Amino acid sequence: MKTKRLYYIDVLNCVGIIFVLFLHSTQLAHTGNTNLSHYRLALVIQSICYPAVYIFLMNSGATLLDYRKKYSTTIFFKKRVYRVLIPFLAWSLIYYFYSISHIAYPGTTIQSHPSFINFIKAFVNNDINALFWFFYTILALYLIVPIVSPLVEKHLNTLFYIVVMFFLCSNGLQFISNLTGINFRTSFISQPLISSSYLGFFIVGYLIKVNYFNNRQQIILIIIGMTSLILNLVNDLFYGKIQLFNNMDPFLYSVGIYLLIKKIVAKLSNDKIKIFTTLSGASLGIYVLHPFIYEVMDKYVYGTTADNWQSFLQLMNSPIYMFSLPIVTYFILTPIILLLKRIKLTRVFIP
């Protein structure tokens, strides 16, 4: 069954990977060192780009939840194995050997005592490349898809209920806990299974695709999302000390910017955005490979690595570093990934 090309998905895939690259060039925000001159700038970039992986999750939900209209569940899982599982396993092994003598920051964990058992333990606990948390998450969601997908025909309200539960239990309880100082997210207050594993992002992406929300509701969600971003940015200027704004989850902002970009793309002609169809195909490959480029550039262009922490801290404090590293990396990796995906021998390992 031939489906209409969703160009906004392509654009959002490109936005998502650019956000990822900027998140990983502004790790200064996670050092807590407020004495550094551009610490606030790093915080601001982090807040703006935070929806990065959530955009990928929403895109996956938008394109996969109604898979039954196109092919069987068996084919669905075969496609996921070839598209995601095989590259995930291959690159986990590559990064394991790489991290015996190299450190890619952020990402890899040094493997000082390599062995088969150590690899298994590291793989199970995501201690090879921390950035691969996305793969663990998306593979878990794939297992749920055949259970949730029958709801897409006549039970959209049920899907929306799951999204609401996800938001209230995962985000609402966390916000109330931070605001009151009372931990409501304990093992003694059980949360519904449907509120875990980022399922809310996955489902809301599909609801947006099928226009579950009318135009007025979409505008309201965009306004709410942008307002939550502004509140986070204000909090960044005060180093996260405004208790009311502190630890606000990016769910609303993620949904808001997703809807906003979808609306903008809808107003553009296909000729203006077709380039994103090509570029989009490189996004997941860039996600996998960019730590290599980051380490090479850190060492040979900027002259220091995370091994020399004090020197690296000063490098991360540079706005030139924050902006040039992701942009240069994107333009280096995009043609490489697209080329590798055209070669039969290598494309099986490129997600």
Side-chain angles (χ1 to χ4, degrees):
M1 178 179 177
K2 189 174 181 180
T3 56
K4 181 181 178 182
R5 186 81 193 185
L6 301 174
Y7 289 105
Y8 79 90
I9 297 285
D10 296 327
V11 174
L12 281 161
N13 270 332
C14 295
V15 171
I17 194 58
I18 292 294
F19 277 8
V20 165
L21 294 175
F22 271 96
L23 285 177
H24 297 159
S25 70
T26 54
Q27 291 294 294
L28 179 71
H30 299 295
T31 65
N33 195 332
T34 58
N35 295 321
L36 292 170
S37 56
H38 294 103
Y39 180 76
R40 278 194 183 98
L41 175 61
L43 287 176
V44 167
I45 294 173
Q46 287 278 316
S47 291
I48 293 172
C49 297
Y50 206 88
V53 175
Y54 301 144
I55 288 174
F56 292 142
L57 294 177
M58 286 189 278
N59 276 352
S60 294
T63 55
L64 294 178
L65 267 184
D66 59 355
Y67 77 87
R68 293 175 187 270
K69 297 178 180 178
K70 295 170 282 188
Y71 40 71
S72 68
T73 299
T74 300
I75 294 176
F76 168 79
F77 279 119
K78 283 183 178 179
K79 286 178 175 288
R80 307 287 70 78
V81 166
Y82 287 111
R83 169 73 170 147
V84 177
L85 182 59
I86 291 176
F88 171 45
L89 293 173
W91 286 104
S92 292
L93 186 61
I94 291 170
Y95 270 111
Y96 182 80
F97 286 110
Y98 179 82
S99 59
I100 293 174
S101 56
H102 294 269
I103 178 171
Y105 184 84
T108 59
T109 301
I110 290 293
Q111 307 297 331
S112 54
H113 302 287
S115 68
F116 177 74
I117 297 299
N118 180 256
F119 170 76
I120 298 299
K121 290 180 179 178
F123 178 77
V124 170
N125 292 286
N126 190 27
D127 284 335
I128 297 175
N129 184 342
L131 305 184
F132 279 8
W133 71 269
F134 168 74
F135 287 103
Y136 293 89
T137 298
I138 199 67
L139 287 169
L141 288 170
Y142 290 160
L143 295 177
I144 300 173
V145 168
I147 301 172
V148 179
S149 60
L151 299 175
V152 303
E153 289 292 338
K154 300 179 181 180
H155 301 282
L156 293 181
N157 288 337
T158 302
L159 290 177
F160 180 63
Y161 167 77
I162 296 174
V163 173
V164 172
M165 290 299 297
F166 169 82
F167 174 72
L168 293 179
C169 294
S170 299
N171 307 287
L173 284 181
Q174 183 64 52
F175 181 72
I176 295 172
S177 295
N178 294 330
L179 196 62
T180 63
I182 302 172
N183 184 17
F184 288 98
R185 299 187 68 182
T186 71
S187 59
F188 299 103
I189 302 179
S190 299
Q191 298 178 40
L193 181 62
I194 58 175
S195 70
S196 62
S197 301
Y198 301 93
L199 184 59
F201 287 103
F202 202 76
I203 292 176
V204 80
Y206 180 78
L207 293 178
I208 289 172
K209 184 186 83 167
V210 297
N211 294 314
Y212 177 82
F213 308 104
N214 62 39
N215 187 61
R216 181 171 176 271
Q217 290 168 339
Q218 290 179 33
I219 292 173
I220 291 173
L221 287 171
I222 291 172
I223 292 172
I224 292 174
M226 295 305 108
T227 300
S228 69
L229 170 62
I230 291 170
L231 295 179
N232 272 315
L233 294 177
V234 170
N235 199 30
D236 290 337
L237 300 179
F238 290 90
Y239 297 121
K241 294 179 181 179
I242 303 178
Q243 185 64 27
L244 181 62
F245 300 165
N246 203 21
N247 294 308
M248 293 182 67
D249 193 274
F251 181 80
L252 294 174
Y253 168 44
S254 299
V255 172
I257 194 171
Y258 193 94
L259 281 166
L260 179 61
I261 292 174
K262 182 175 183 287
K263 280 186 169 295
I264 291 173
V265 171
K267 295 182 181 297
L268 301 175
S269 66
N270 290 346
D271 292 336
K272 292 182 179 179
I273 55 179
K274 276 188 177 180
I275 182 62
F276 290 101
T277 301
T278 300
L279 296 177
S280 173
S283 293
L284 198 49
I286 293 173
Y287 186 93
V288 169
L289 287 172
H290 78 273
F292 290 125
I293 304 298
Y294 272 32
E295 192 207 4
V296 169
M297 290 190 64
D298 287 344
K299 187 173 183 178
Y300 297 106
V301 177
Y302 302 109
T304 188
T305 66
D307 291 320
N308 187 352
W309 184 249
Q310 289 306 314
S311 174
F312 190 64
L313 198 60
Q314 294 303 316
L315 173 63
M316 289 194 296
N317 189 47
S318 167
I320 295 176
Y321 176 82
M322 294 181 193
F323 287 96
S324 65
L325 183 63
I327 293 172
V328 172
T329 298
Y330 184 81
F331 282 106
I332 289 175
L333 279 181
T334 298
I336 293 174
I337 297 298
L338 294 177
L339 176 61
L340 290 175
K341 294 186 79 166
R342 293 175 67 90
I343 301 173
K344 187 176 182 179
L345 185 64
T346 57
R347 67 187 177 199
V348 68
F349 300 110
I350 306 297

